[in-house]
Amino acid sequence: MLTLAVLISGTGSNLRALLEAASHPDFPARVVAVGADRDADGLAHAEEFGIPTFTVPYSAYPTREAWGEELAEQLDAWQPDLIVLSGLMRLLPAAVVARYAPRIVNTHPAYLPEFPGAHGVRDALAAGAEQTGASVIVVDDGVDSGPILAQERVAVLPGDTEATLHERIKPVERRLLIDVVERIATGDLVL
Ligand code: GRF
């Protein structure tokens, strides 16, 4: 049984999809802890599923590195086989990536290497792209630059706003993420 620690910053809708998938007895992975860099709304999904949560408030630390050290301490307590970034809006410090790589995967709401970074959806719209996508990658010490594990195109529709486009991308992200986690858990996909 692959154990997962999931890190979030926001509403955690992608986390919820993973929690729901993992609650099926035949799913080969389970979430053992959910962490956040702030008092994220998404932590409520973990609480609803009875999954322990932890918060390492980014604003409480003098540097990214100091924040990362505490985050690593919290993660180590759970000894997860895989760390899933699902809406974590922080770059992990190099030391944290080095400590767990390549056992960290991330979902991104664009067709990488197109539109990396914190505003992938907004950037695709601003570029006038007719299609964008969703990607699941291995986290390296760059910005959304790690090996691509799965990705799929999503159409940009006339009149799309950042919100409507993002809500169309997220279900694709969730499906790709759940499939990648399952393939890692069954050994089909080796990081
Ligand atoms: C997802 O699109 C994720 O890829 C991006 O932020 C969004 C998080 O959405 N980094 P949610 O918090 O899972 O609803």
Side-chain angles (χ1 to χ4, degrees), residues 24-46:
H24 290 289
D26 55 358
F27 192 74
R30 61 188 172 86
V31 179
V32 294
V34 175
D37 65 329
R38 68 192 77 176
D39 185 18
D41 292 346
L43 292 172
H45 297 309

Side-chain angles (χ1 to χ4, degrees), residues 83-145:
I83 296 166
V84 177
L85 310 187
S86 186
L88 182 72
M89 298 308 281
R90 295 279 174 209
L91 290 179
L92 295 178
V96 174
V97 175
R99 187 186 188 108
Y100 297 108
R103 298 182 292 114
I104 316 176
V105 298
N106 182 31
T107 62
H108 183 73
Y111 200 84
L112 292 170
E114 299 167 2
F115 310 119
H119 304 293
V121 179
R122 185 188 311 170
D123 296 343
L125 276 177
E130 292 185 358
Q131 56 177 6
T132 182
S135 305
V136 180
I137 61 170
V138 176
V139 173
D140 64 8
D141 49 12
V143 178
D144 297 323
S145 53

Side-chain angles (χ1 to χ4, degrees), residues 10-15 86-89 107-109 166 170 173-174:
T11 59
S13 66
N14 287 354
L15 161 68
S86 186
L88 182 72
M89 298 308 281
T107 62
H108 183 73
H166 206 164
K170 283 185 183 180
E173 279 186 271
R174 294 167 199 156

